[in-house]
Amino acid sequence: MTFDPMPPVIEAPSPNFDTRPGPITMIVLHYTGMRDAESAIARLRDPEAKVSAHYVVAEDGVVLRLVDEDKRAWHAGRSHWRQWDDVNSVSIGIEIVNPGHEFGYRPFPDQQIDAVVRLVHSIKDRHGITRGNIVGHSDVAPARKRDPGELFPWGILARRRLALPRPTKNLMDPHWTESGFLLALERFGYDVTEPMAAIMAFQRRFRPELIDGEIDAECRMILLALLLPKPQGDD
């Protein structure tokens, strides 16, 4: 499988960063969740806001770099994934321009997703990041965040081995109890302190057509398949 090179990057430095204490092991995808790109970029560069990301991808595919990858940007906030409680320290944050649920959530344009794919591939290859650690903001902060949301086309990334696929083959229901499902969800990577939020974050990522917070057979089958060494899906 071949990829186009990393898209051209426009430098737009943000002062909102500090020292990264260790290696990069994750990529976290966000949506900006503001009315327009200009407002989002201004906030990410405002020293009073104390938020930032490494990259912003506009709807026309233009990529801005706000923070160098070797620095710790402030994008994930209070978060957890697998063994990491300080996601900012180990991750690259990518903000994807979209008004989000509050201001008119809408599908992501093709040219924007093309730029995201090229950017994620470049970062993943450069740092040796596994596809299981390419996640959404809602995955690492399920009680607080919904981005990049149910309209984000994870399948496009999965087909390029840039994210885990939604399992579709050889599915079996393990008939876990609710507590058993939550234990498995925690093992997979989620913070399950708030169970309903964690279940909905999982559904938003892997079963976006029905986000109801209910543990059903389909959710159990998908999660079991994801815990296997090689999840099998059409993506």
Side-chain angles (χ1 to χ4, degrees):
M1 183 178 294
T2 60
F3 286 87
D4 292 329
M6 181 166 167
V9 172
I10 296 172
E11 301 294 340
S14 170
N16 301 334
F17 65 87
D18 52 17
T19 302
R20 187 187 290 283
I24 295 164
T25 58
M26 295 180 62
I27 299 171
V28 181
L29 303 183
H30 308 250
Y31 63 41
T32 50
M34 298 186 71
R35 294 187 186 278
D36 53 52
E38 292 75 19
S39 301
I41 293 165
R43 185 167 187 269
L44 292 165
R45 300 176 70 197
D46 179 0
E48 297 297 319
K50 299 187 184 303
V51 293
S52 61
H54 294 89
Y55 297 96
V56 175
V57 182
E59 289 185 298
D60 62 1
V62 170
V63 177
L64 281 67
R65 177 162 41 222
L66 277 61
V67 176
D68 289 340
E69 291 181 13
D70 62 349
K71 304 300 182 184
R72 178 180 178 273
W74 306 338
H75 59 96
R78 188 176 70 256
S79 51
H80 170 85
W81 185 251
R82 297 182 171 171
Q83 68 265 43
W84 300 292
D85 289 320
D86 180 5
V87 169
N88 281 339
S89 289
V90 297
S91 65
I92 299 291
I94 301 174
E95 289 277 359
I96 305 164
V97 173
N98 188 292
H101 293 85
E102 187 174 353
F103 296 111
Y105 190 41
R106 59 187 180 230
F108 299 81
D110 291 345
Q111 60 267 37
Q112 185 179 40
I113 294 303
D114 178 68
V116 169
V117 165
R118 292 164 62 193
L119 179 60
V120 168
H121 175 260
S122 177
I123 296 167
K124 177 182 186 290
D125 189 56
R126 196 158 52 248
H127 297 288
I129 298 169
T130 63
R131 59 182 178 156
N133 288 332
I134 299 174
V135 297
H137 198 187
S138 59
D139 295 315
V140 302
R144 301 187 300 111
K145 297 296 180 179
R146 292 186 284 174
D147 58 310
E150 59 276 7
L151 297 179
F152 185 77
W154 284 104
I156 292 175
L157 274 69
R159 283 190 288 275
R160 292 158 174 79
R161 298 191 66 80
L162 301 177
L164 287 173
R166 172 178 178 165
T168 57
K169 299 175 182 176
N170 304 318
L171 299 180
M172 298 177 292
D173 185 355
H175 297 285
W176 288 318
T177 62
E178 179 177 348
S179 61
F181 181 88
L182 291 172
L183 282 171
L185 194 59
E186 184 176 38
R187 179 184 172 193
F188 181 63
Y190 286 87
D191 177 0
V192 299
T193 304
E194 297 189 30
M196 176 72 75
I199 294 164
M200 293 179 72
F202 174 77
Q203 292 172 334
R204 182 168 284 111
R205 171 67 179 80
F206 291 105
R207 209 269 303 272
E209 68 275 11
L210 180 58
I211 305 168
D212 60 4
E214 298 290 330
I215 300 170
D216 57 23
E218 187 174 38
C219 289
R220 293 191 298 265
M221 289 189 292
I222 290 171
L223 180 55
L224 175 62
L226 286 167
L227 289 167
L228 297 176
K230 293 184 178 179
Q232 297 184 58
D234 296 330
D235 294 331

